[in-house]
Amino acid sequence: MEFTYAEILDILSTKHNVASAKKIAFRGRLQHFQRLGFPAGANTGKGKGVAYSWRELFLIGLALDCLEIGSTPDRSVNEIVKFEDVFLSAIASVGLGTQEEDSRDFKCFLIVELSNLMSLKEEADWSQIVKLLSHQDMMQILSSDGLDAHRSPYALIDLRQFLAAILNGVFSCLEAPKKMIIGDFKAWARQQL
């Protein structure tokens, strides 16, 4: 399945509940990512149309989620390109249900460190945290004993919620049947694994 720029804009503005009057400002956020060359391979130059895939939709969606939780566009893009493969594989795995969802080891939480102050720290302290966590991992972090392996500032993104919100945006913005959209997504996801 391919998406136009206008469809990407509609899908993601639906996901983020962007008011109609603010859609131009929202488009400016997407254009900022384009100026940063993100996502790689999706920028053909001025006046040339681009066909976006699920990959670009998910990457731009994640970048916007990072903005939503307080990261800068530059910081978000710099981090996402480092773990793009991990993220896309995780989305595919969650979407296909390749993990046992009832299992406490179902890895569906993405933990990322998006500190804007990292460049001010000593290089030895630049801990680049990006990994997938299971429910069991989350329970250890949130327990009264705590788990010091993941110190703030970090963000947790529930990939199940992320994927559901993106798909709901696709369903509401495209006229294609849901069954066709899901089939196309699953074909993409199988290629990722």
Side-chain angles (χ1 to χ4, degrees):
M1 177 169 278
E2 293 183 342
F3 306 98
T4 65
Y5 178 80
E7 289 170 338
I8 293 283
L9 180 64
D10 286 344
I11 292 164
L12 294 173
S13 62
T14 298
K15 178 189 182 295
H16 289 279
N17 298 318
V18 175
S20 297
K22 302 291 184 178
K23 215 164 188 178
I24 291 172
F26 185 72
R27 185 175 60 213
R29 305 299 196 282
L30 297 183
Q31 289 170 336
H32 189 97
F33 290 136
Q34 286 178 321
R35 285 190 294 276
L36 294 172
F38 181 80
N43 300 304
T44 60
K46 198 167 190 149
K48 295 182 181 176
V50 174
Y52 293 90
S53 69
W54 289 105
R55 171 191 171 265
E56 289 83 22
L57 177 60
F58 291 134
L59 291 174
I60 297 168
L62 178 61
L64 288 169
D65 276 17
C66 291
L67 292 184
E68 187 93 57
I69 57 179
S71 184
T72 65
D74 293 2
R75 179 78 178 132
S76 300
V77 167
N78 286 337
E79 288 307 304
I80 291 170
V81 298
K82 293 177 188 174
F83 65 87
E84 175 182 333
D85 293 340
V86 171
F87 169 68
L88 293 175
S89 293
I91 286 291
S93 180
V94 167
L96 292 173
T98 56
Q99 302 180 55
E100 188 66 37
E101 192 160 349
D102 292 335
S103 169
R104 297 181 76 187
D105 293 326
F106 181 61
K107 294 188 183 289
C108 60
F109 298 99
L110 182 69
I111 184 170
V112 293
E113 185 175 343
L114 297 169
S115 171
N116 289 318
L117 301 177
M118 186 169 303
S119 63
L120 303 177
K121 299 178 183 180
E122 295 291 330
E123 265 191 68
D125 293 333
W126 287 13
S127 58
Q128 300 290 320
I129 297 174
V130 176
K131 61 190 329 186
L132 289 171
L133 301 176
S134 66
H135 288 269
Q136 188 171 344
D137 297 330
M138 289 296 297
M139 294 309 293
Q140 287 178 333
I141 291 171
L142 299 174
S143 74
S144 59
D145 296 334
L147 177 64
D148 198 31
H150 307 293
R151 283 178 261 140
S152 289
Y154 59 82
L156 292 167
I157 298 172
D158 185 338
L159 295 179
R160 298 165 304 172
Q161 295 294 327
F162 174 85
L163 178 59
I166 293 280
L167 287 174
N168 282 331
V170 173
F171 296 151
S172 68
C173 294
L174 299 184
E175 294 185 19
K178 284 184 182 181
K179 190 172 185 174
M180 188 192 95
I181 292 169
I182 293 296
D184 190 77
F185 164 72
K186 287 189 175 193
W188 173 86
R190 283 190 288 277
Q191 292 176 343
Q192 300 305 303
L193 298 178

Short mmCIF file of all heavy atoms in Angstrom, two decimals, residues 26-70:
data_model
loop_
_atom_site.label_atom_id
_atom_site.label_comp_id
_atom_site.label_asym_id
_atom_site.label_seq_id
_atom_site.Cartn_x
_atom_site.Cartn_y
_atom_site.Cartn_z
N PHE A 26 0.57 21.92 11.81
CA PHE A 26 0.94 20.50 11.88
C PHE A 26 1.75 20.11 10.64
O PHE A 26 2.75 19.40 10.74
CB PHE A 26 -0.33 19.65 12.02
CG PHE A 26 -0.05 18.20 12.22
CD1 PHE A 26 0.45 17.73 13.42
CD2 PHE A 26 -0.31 17.28 11.22
CE1 PHE A 26 0.70 16.38 13.62
CE2 PHE A 26 -0.06 15.93 11.40
CZ PHE A 26 0.44 15.48 12.62
N ARG A 27 1.32 20.58 9.48
CA ARG A 27 2.06 20.29 8.24
C ARG A 27 3.48 20.84 8.34
O ARG A 27 4.42 20.23 7.85
CB ARG A 27 1.33 20.89 7.03
CG ARG A 27 2.01 20.50 5.72
CD ARG A 27 1.26 20.97 4.51
NE ARG A 27 1.14 22.41 4.52
CZ ARG A 27 0.11 23.09 4.05
NH1 ARG A 27 -0.91 22.46 3.50
NH2 ARG A 27 0.08 24.39 4.09
N GLY A 28 3.64 21.96 9.02
CA GLY A 28 4.97 22.53 9.24
C GLY A 28 5.87 21.59 10.01
O GLY A 28 7.08 21.51 9.74
N ARG A 29 5.29 20.84 10.96
CA ARG A 29 6.09 19.86 11.72
C ARG A 29 6.59 18.76 10.78
O ARG A 29 7.75 18.36 10.84
CB ARG A 29 5.26 19.22 12.84
CG ARG A 29 4.60 20.12 13.84
CD ARG A 29 5.57 20.97 14.63
NE ARG A 29 5.01 21.56 15.81
CZ ARG A 29 4.22 22.64 15.83
NH1 ARG A 29 3.82 23.21 14.73
NH2 ARG A 29 3.81 23.15 16.97
N LEU A 30 5.70 18.30 9.89
CA LEU A 30 6.11 17.26 8.94
C LEU A 30 7.15 17.78 7.97
O LEU A 30 8.10 17.08 7.62
CB LEU A 30 4.90 16.72 8.17
CG LEU A 30 3.81 16.02 8.99
CD1 LEU A 30 2.73 15.48 8.07
CD2 LEU A 30 4.38 14.92 9.85
N GLN A 31 7.00 19.03 7.54
CA GLN A 31 7.97 19.62 6.63
C GLN A 31 9.33 19.79 7.30
O GLN A 31 10.37 19.66 6.65
CB GLN A 31 7.45 20.96 6.10
CG GLN A 31 6.30 20.78 5.14
CD GLN A 31 5.61 22.09 4.78
OE1 GLN A 31 5.66 23.06 5.54
NE2 GLN A 31 4.95 22.10 3.64
N HIS A 32 9.33 20.03 8.60
CA HIS A 32 10.60 20.12 9.33
C HIS A 32 11.33 18.78 9.27
O HIS A 32 12.55 18.74 9.06
CB HIS A 32 10.36 20.54 10.78
CG HIS A 32 11.62 20.85 11.52
ND1 HIS A 32 12.10 22.12 11.67
CD2 HIS A 32 12.53 20.04 12.13
CE1 HIS A 32 13.24 22.09 12.35
NE2 HIS A 32 13.51 20.84 12.63
N PHE A 33 10.59 17.69 9.44
CA PHE A 33 11.21 16.36 9.32
C PHE A 33 11.78 16.17 7.91
O PHE A 33 12.86 15.62 7.75
CB PHE A 33 10.20 15.24 9.64
CG PHE A 33 9.82 15.16 11.09
CD1 PHE A 33 8.49 14.99 11.45
CD2 PHE A 33 10.76 15.24 12.09
CE1 PHE A 33 8.12 14.91 12.78
CE2 PHE A 33 10.40 15.16 13.43
CZ PHE A 33 9.08 15.00 13.78
N GLN A 34 11.04 16.63 6.90
CA GLN A 34 11.53 16.52 5.52
C GLN A 34 12.84 17.28 5.36
O GLN A 34 13.77 16.78 4.72
CB GLN A 34 10.50 17.06 4.53
CG GLN A 34 9.31 16.16 4.33
CD GLN A 34 8.30 16.78 3.37
OE1 GLN A 34 8.05 17.98 3.39
NE2 GLN A 34 7.72 15.94 2.54
N ARG A 35 12.93 18.48 5.92
CA ARG A 35 14.17 19.26 5.81
C ARG A 35 15.33 18.55 6.49
O ARG A 35 16.49 18.75 6.12
CB ARG A 35 13.97 20.66 6.40
CG ARG A 35 13.16 21.58 5.50
CD ARG A 35 13.17 23.01 5.99
NE ARG A 35 12.50 23.19 7.26
CZ ARG A 35 11.18 23.37 7.42
NH1 ARG A 35 10.39 23.38 6.37
NH2 ARG A 35 10.67 23.55 8.61
N LEU A 36 15.04 17.75 7.50
CA LEU A 36 16.07 16.98 8.19
C LEU A 36 16.43 15.70 7.42
O LEU A 36 17.27 14.93 7.86
CB LEU A 36 15.61 16.61 9.60
CG LEU A 36 15.42 17.78 10.57
CD1 LEU A 36 14.77 17.30 11.87
CD2 LEU A 36 16.76 18.46 10.86
N GLY A 37 15.75 15.47 6.28
CA GLY A 37 16.01 14.26 5.49
C GLY A 37 15.39 13.01 6.09
O GLY A 37 15.87 11.90 5.88
N PHE A 38 14.33 13.20 6.84
CA PHE A 38 13.68 12.10 7.55
C PHE A 38 12.26 11.91 7.05
O PHE A 38 11.54 12.89 6.87
CB PHE A 38 13.65 12.41 9.05
CG PHE A 38 13.02 11.34 9.88
CD1 PHE A 38 13.73 10.21 10.22
CD2 PHE A 38 11.70 11.45 10.29
CE1 PHE A 38 13.14 9.22 10.98
CE2 PHE A 38 11.11 10.46 11.04
CZ PHE A 38 11.84 9.34 11.39
N PRO A 39 11.86 10.66 6.87
CA PRO A 39 12.68 9.45 6.91
C PRO A 39 13.52 9.31 5.65
O PRO A 39 13.14 9.79 4.58
CB PRO A 39 11.67 8.31 7.03
CG PRO A 39 10.34 8.87 6.67
CD PRO A 39 10.43 10.35 6.74
N ALA A 40 14.65 8.68 5.80
CA ALA A 40 15.59 8.52 4.69
C ALA A 40 14.90 7.85 3.51
O ALA A 40 14.11 6.92 3.67
CB ALA A 40 16.78 7.67 5.13
N GLY A 41 15.18 8.39 2.32
CA GLY A 41 14.62 7.83 1.10
C GLY A 41 13.26 8.37 0.72
O GLY A 41 12.74 8.05 -0.35
N ALA A 42 12.66 9.18 1.58
CA ALA A 42 11.31 9.69 1.30
C ALA A 42 11.32 11.12 0.77
O ALA A 42 10.28 11.70 0.58
CB ALA A 42 10.45 9.61 2.55
N ASN A 43 12.49 11.67 0.55
CA ASN A 43 12.57 13.05 0.11
C ASN A 43 13.12 13.09 -1.31
O ASN A 43 14.28 12.79 -1.54
CB ASN A 43 13.45 13.87 1.06
CG ASN A 43 12.89 13.86 2.46
OD1 ASN A 43 11.75 14.23 2.66
ND2 ASN A 43 13.67 13.41 3.41
N THR A 44 12.29 13.47 -2.25
CA THR A 44 12.70 13.48 -3.66
C THR A 44 13.03 14.87 -4.16
O THR A 44 13.48 15.02 -5.28
CB THR A 44 11.58 12.89 -4.54
OG1 THR A 44 10.42 13.70 -4.38
CG2 THR A 44 11.30 11.47 -4.19
N GLY A 45 12.78 15.87 -3.38
CA GLY A 45 13.03 17.24 -3.82
C GLY A 45 11.73 17.98 -4.04
O GLY A 45 10.65 17.41 -4.02
N LYS A 46 11.88 19.24 -4.27
CA LYS A 46 10.71 20.11 -4.41
C LYS A 46 9.93 19.80 -5.69
O LYS A 46 10.51 19.66 -6.76
CB LYS A 46 11.18 21.57 -4.43
CG LYS A 46 10.07 22.54 -4.15
CD LYS A 46 10.64 23.91 -3.88
CE LYS A 46 9.51 24.78 -3.36
NZ LYS A 46 9.95 25.76 -2.45
N GLY A 47 8.63 19.67 -5.54
CA GLY A 47 7.76 19.47 -6.69
C GLY A 47 7.62 18.04 -7.16
O GLY A 47 6.86 17.76 -8.07
N LYS A 48 8.35 17.13 -6.56
CA LYS A 48 8.26 15.73 -6.96
C LYS A 48 7.45 14.96 -5.91
O LYS A 48 7.70 15.08 -4.72
CB LYS A 48 9.65 15.11 -7.09
CG LYS A 48 10.47 15.74 -8.20
CD LYS A 48 11.83 15.07 -8.31
CE LYS A 48 12.63 15.74 -9.41
NZ LYS A 48 13.97 15.21 -9.50
N GLY A 49 6.49 14.20 -6.39
CA GLY A 49 5.66 13.43 -5.48
C GLY A 49 6.39 12.23 -4.92
O GLY A 49 7.27 11.66 -5.54
N VAL A 50 6.01 11.84 -3.72
CA VAL A 50 6.60 10.70 -3.04
C VAL A 50 5.49 9.71 -2.71
O VAL A 50 4.41 10.11 -2.29
CB VAL A 50 7.29 11.13 -1.72
CG1 VAL A 50 7.78 9.93 -0.94
CG2 VAL A 50 8.43 12.08 -2.00
N ALA A 51 5.77 8.45 -2.91
CA ALA A 51 4.85 7.41 -2.46
C ALA A 51 5.39 6.87 -1.15
O ALA A 51 6.48 6.32 -1.09
CB ALA A 51 4.76 6.30 -3.51
N TYR A 52 4.66 7.11 -0.08
CA TYR A 52 5.07 6.66 1.25
C TYR A 52 4.56 5.24 1.49
O TYR A 52 3.50 4.85 1.00
CB TYR A 52 4.49 7.59 2.32
CG TYR A 52 5.06 8.99 2.29
CD1 TYR A 52 4.46 9.98 1.53
CD2 TYR A 52 6.18 9.31 3.03
CE1 TYR A 52 4.97 11.26 1.49
CE2 TYR A 52 6.70 10.59 3.00
CZ TYR A 52 6.09 11.57 2.24
OH TYR A 52 6.60 12.84 2.20
N SER A 53 5.31 4.49 2.26
CA SER A 53 4.92 3.12 2.62
C SER A 53 4.59 3.07 4.11
O SER A 53 4.65 4.08 4.82
CB SER A 53 6.07 2.16 2.30
OG SER A 53 7.16 2.38 3.18
N TRP A 54 4.28 1.86 4.58
CA TRP A 54 4.03 1.68 6.01
C TRP A 54 5.26 2.12 6.80
O TRP A 54 5.12 2.71 7.87
CB TRP A 54 3.72 0.21 6.31
CG TRP A 54 2.39 -0.24 5.83
CD1 TRP A 54 2.13 -1.02 4.74
CD2 TRP A 54 1.11 0.06 6.41
NE1 TRP A 54 0.77 -1.21 4.60
CE2 TRP A 54 0.13 -0.57 5.63
CE3 TRP A 54 0.71 0.80 7.52
CZ2 TRP A 54 -1.22 -0.47 5.91
CZ3 TRP A 54 -0.64 0.89 7.81
CH2 TRP A 54 -1.60 0.26 7.01
N ARG A 55 6.45 1.84 6.29
CA ARG A 55 7.69 2.22 6.98
C ARG A 55 7.69 3.71 7.30
O ARG A 55 7.90 4.12 8.44
CB ARG A 55 8.90 1.87 6.10
CG ARG A 55 10.22 2.40 6.63
CD ARG A 55 11.36 2.26 5.59
NE ARG A 55 12.53 2.94 6.02
CZ ARG A 55 12.86 4.18 5.67
NH1 ARG A 55 12.10 4.88 4.85
NH2 ARG A 55 13.98 4.74 6.13
N GLU A 56 7.48 4.54 6.29
CA GLU A 56 7.51 5.98 6.50
C GLU A 56 6.38 6.44 7.42
O GLU A 56 6.59 7.31 8.28
CB GLU A 56 7.44 6.73 5.16
CG GLU A 56 8.70 6.62 4.33
CD GLU A 56 8.78 5.35 3.50
OE1 GLU A 56 7.72 4.74 3.23
OE2 GLU A 56 9.90 4.96 3.14
N LEU A 57 5.21 5.85 7.26
CA LEU A 57 4.08 6.21 8.12
C LEU A 57 4.43 5.95 9.59
O LEU A 57 4.22 6.80 10.46
CB LEU A 57 2.83 5.44 7.71
CG LEU A 57 1.58 5.66 8.59
CD1 LEU A 57 1.16 7.13 8.60
CD2 LEU A 57 0.44 4.78 8.10
N PHE A 58 4.98 4.77 9.88
CA PHE A 58 5.32 4.43 11.27
C PHE A 58 6.47 5.29 11.79
O PHE A 58 6.43 5.73 12.94
CB PHE A 58 5.66 2.95 11.39
CG PHE A 58 4.48 2.05 11.19
CD1 PHE A 58 4.58 0.93 10.38
CD2 PHE A 58 3.25 2.31 11.80
CE1 PHE A 58 3.49 0.09 10.18
CE2 PHE A 58 2.16 1.48 11.60
CZ PHE A 58 2.28 0.37 10.79
N LEU A 59 7.47 5.54 10.97
CA LEU A 59 8.61 6.35 11.44
C LEU A 59 8.20 7.79 11.72
O LEU A 59 8.58 8.36 12.75
CB LEU A 59 9.75 6.30 10.42
CG LEU A 59 10.46 4.96 10.29
CD1 LEU A 59 11.48 5.00 9.15
CD2 LEU A 59 11.12 4.55 11.60
N ILE A 60 7.42 8.37 10.82
CA ILE A 60 6.95 9.74 11.05
C ILE A 60 6.01 9.76 12.25
O ILE A 60 6.06 10.68 13.08
CB ILE A 60 6.27 10.33 9.79
CG1 ILE A 60 7.28 10.43 8.64
CG2 ILE A 60 5.67 11.71 10.10
CD1 ILE A 60 6.64 10.72 7.28
N GLY A 61 5.17 8.73 12.37
CA GLY A 61 4.28 8.63 13.53
C GLY A 61 5.06 8.58 14.83
O GLY A 61 4.70 9.25 15.81
N LEU A 62 6.15 7.81 14.86
CA LEU A 62 6.97 7.74 16.08
C LEU A 62 7.64 9.08 16.35
O LEU A 62 7.70 9.53 17.50
CB LEU A 62 8.02 6.63 15.95
CG LEU A 62 8.96 6.49 17.14
CD1 LEU A 62 8.19 6.16 18.42
CD2 LEU A 62 10.02 5.43 16.87
N ALA A 63 8.15 9.73 15.31
CA ALA A 63 8.78 11.03 15.49
C ALA A 63 7.79 12.04 16.09
O ALA A 63 8.15 12.82 16.98
CB ALA A 63 9.34 11.54 14.17
N LEU A 64 6.56 12.00 15.62
CA LEU A 64 5.54 12.90 16.18
C LEU A 64 5.22 12.54 17.63
O LEU A 64 5.00 13.43 18.46
CB LEU A 64 4.27 12.86 15.33
CG LEU A 64 4.39 13.56 13.98
CD1 LEU A 64 3.17 13.24 13.11
CD2 LEU A 64 4.56 15.06 14.14
N ASP A 65 5.20 11.25 17.95
CA ASP A 65 4.98 10.85 19.34
C ASP A 65 6.11 11.37 20.22
O ASP A 65 5.88 11.79 21.35
CB ASP A 65 4.86 9.33 19.46
CG ASP A 65 3.46 8.83 19.19
OD1 ASP A 65 2.65 9.57 18.60
OD2 ASP A 65 3.17 7.67 19.55
N CYS A 66 7.33 11.34 19.70
CA CYS A 66 8.47 11.87 20.46
C CYS A 66 8.31 13.37 20.69
O CYS A 66 8.61 13.87 21.77
CB CYS A 66 9.78 11.57 19.74
SG CYS A 66 10.22 9.81 19.74
N LEU A 67 7.82 14.09 19.67
CA LEU A 67 7.55 15.52 19.85
C LEU A 67 6.47 15.72 20.92
O LEU A 67 6.55 16.63 21.74
CB LEU A 67 7.08 16.16 18.55
CG LEU A 67 8.06 16.29 17.40
CD1 LEU A 67 7.41 17.06 16.25
CD2 LEU A 67 9.34 16.96 17.82
N GLU A 68 5.48 14.86 20.86
CA GLU A 68 4.35 14.95 21.79
C GLU A 68 4.82 14.83 23.24
O GLU A 68 4.26 15.47 24.14
CB GLU A 68 3.35 13.83 21.47
CG GLU A 68 2.06 13.90 22.23
CD GLU A 68 0.98 14.64 21.48
OE1 GLU A 68 0.66 14.27 20.35
OE2 GLU A 68 0.45 15.60 22.06
N ILE A 69 5.86 14.05 23.48
CA ILE A 69 6.33 13.87 24.85
C ILE A 69 7.48 14.80 25.21
O ILE A 69 8.10 14.65 26.25
CB ILE A 69 6.70 12.39 25.14
CG1 ILE A 69 7.75 11.88 24.17
CG2 ILE A 69 5.47 11.51 25.13
CD1 ILE A 69 8.18 10.44 24.40
N GLY A 70 7.78 15.77 24.32
CA GLY A 70 8.69 16.83 24.69
C GLY A 70 10.06 16.84 24.03
O GLY A 70 10.88 17.69 24.34
#
